[in-house]
Amino acid sequence: ISGDLSQDYIKNSSTNEKKEISGVLSHDQIKNSSTNEVKEISNDHKEIPTDKIKNIQKQLEFYFGDCNLSSDKFMIEESEKSVDKMISLDVMLKFKKLIDMKATKEEILKAAEASEFLKASSDSQRIGRIDGKHRVSYDFKQLSLWLKGIKDKDNLTFDDIYSLFPGCDFERINLKPKYGSGVLMSFKDKNSLERVLEKSKGLTFHDQPIEVKRYETDEKSKGKKSNDFGKRKNLGKFASKNKKARK
């Protein structure tokens, strides 16, 4: 999975236009996608966000989340342009998904204010994480799982995944990864990942059994199968040569 947000950034030059990442949703988008509830903000001075502000907030929290920010070169480079390591609102307004939402500077500021881990700069021209981090580490292999066995992936939704594992804290879900045949799920921490593994035992989807595998274990298995295939292929060539020699 590419973490480069420049794919979601619309440049002025038409020749350098980038395409957005599809089929990816942050954990906050997943947790609230099946309801229309408005999240109350703990701080008294913060307003209760409207649906539009709430959707912008979810998108911002995905951009600045650990999973995305750990590998997103564009976000890192942009944040390093300011002393406070925040990103300019003028830049944020050029992200395609925010354009699709018709987000304004004022709405982005309100969404950042409503967030539990985002904030605006003192001059209200930039936003960033409350903890001030613009570089974070995220162990993708250790915190990701493959969901396999779903027959009709074309009609699969994020709500379907969340309904399979209620109460689990997803960091990111990729319904259509660029590689692999399953759904790629990433989590905020190992406890969340282990809960999904536990809940997946004997689980079915539309009366079909499904399977959840650790990302790292599955990748090692693929590597072993590939090596075994290579060995068999080489053995076949060796046997063929010996047969010709005997003739």
Side-chain angles (χ1 to χ4, degrees):
I1 295 177
S2 171
D4 190 349
L5 194 60
S6 58
Q7 294 181 73
D8 192 34
Y9 180 76
I10 295 186
K11 303 218 173 188
N12 292 330
S13 170
S14 60
T15 57
N16 292 325
E17 185 175 356
K18 304 292 181 177
K19 294 182 179 180
E20 67 174 309
I21 299 172
S22 62
V24 178
L25 201 68
S26 70
H27 67 283
D28 286 312
Q29 287 172 292
I30 297 160
K31 288 166 75 174
N32 295 322
S33 60
S34 60
T35 69
N36 290 320
E37 294 180 0
V38 177
K39 178 183 175 183
E40 292 188 2
I41 307 304
S42 57
N43 294 4
D44 293 336
H45 70 282
K46 292 184 177 181
E47 300 176 0
I48 297 176
T50 62
D51 286 345
K52 184 178 180 181
I53 298 298
K54 184 175 66 173
N55 289 333
I56 294 172
Q57 176 190 338
K58 295 171 189 174
Q59 195 60 44
L60 294 178
E61 289 178 345
F62 165 69
Y63 290 148
F64 288 93
D66 286 356
C67 185
N68 185 64
L69 201 57
S70 64
S71 59
D72 196 320
K73 294 178 182 179
F74 180 79
M75 288 282 287
I76 293 171
E77 289 172 359
E78 285 298 317
S79 62
E80 289 180 344
K81 291 179 180 179
S82 66
V83 176
D84 53 15
K85 307 304 180 187
M86 294 184 173
I87 296 181
S88 165
L89 292 180
D90 290 330
V91 172
M92 300 298 301
L93 285 170
K94 294 178 182 178
F95 290 172
K96 188 178 184 305
K97 289 185 180 178
L98 293 179
I99 289 176
D100 291 342
M101 294 179 187
K102 297 182 180 179
T104 65
K105 283 188 178 182
E106 183 182 3
E107 289 168 339
I108 291 176
L109 288 171
K110 285 184 178 180
E113 184 183 340
S115 173
E116 295 176 357
F117 75 94
L118 297 178
K119 66 177 182 179
S121 60
S122 57
D123 61 0
S124 299
Q125 295 301 309
R126 297 174 303 284
I127 62 170
R129 290 169 56 133
I130 287 176
D131 60 16
K133 294 180 179 179
H134 72 293
R135 287 178 179 270
V136 296
S137 60
Y138 183 84
D139 195 336
F140 178 79
K141 291 184 178 180
Q142 290 291 327
L143 292 172
S144 297
L145 297 172
W146 280 109
L147 173 61
K148 300 193 172 187
I150 294 179
K151 303 294 184 183
D152 187 11
K153 276 188 62 180
D154 289 338
N155 294 317
L156 188 68
T157 67
F158 295 109
D159 282 342
D160 290 332
I161 303 300
Y162 185 61
S163 66
L164 284 169
F165 308 104
C168 294
D169 204 0
F170 294 96
E171 176 74 19
R172 190 180 193 186
I173 288 179
N174 195 337
L175 295 177
K176 297 178 180 179
K178 293 180 180 179
Y179 61 94
S181 58
V183 173
L184 193 53
M185 307 180 293
S186 300
F187 303 86
K188 289 188 70 65
D189 51 53
K190 287 188 176 181
N191 289 336
S192 299
L193 180 145
E194 295 297 336
R195 285 200 299 272
V196 168
L197 280 174
E198 183 64 29
K199 289 184 177 184
S200 68
K201 295 176 181 178
L203 201 61
T204 60
F205 181 72
H206 292 173
D207 298 323
Q208 296 292 325
I210 57 177
E211 184 180 14
V212 173
K213 291 185 176 181
R214 293 181 187 273
Y215 178 89
E216 195 169 25
T217 302
D218 192 57
E219 293 304 299
K220 286 179 180 178
S221 174
K222 287 179 182 177
K224 184 178 183 302
K225 288 178 181 178
S226 178
N227 289 336
D228 289 344
F229 175 76
K231 288 178 182 178
R232 290 196 300 271
K233 191 174 181 180
N234 290 333
L235 284 173
K237 289 180 179 178
F238 180 73
S240 178
K241 286 181 181 178
N242 285 343
K243 187 175 181 180
K244 289 179 180 179
R246 287 196 297 270
K247 288 181 178 180

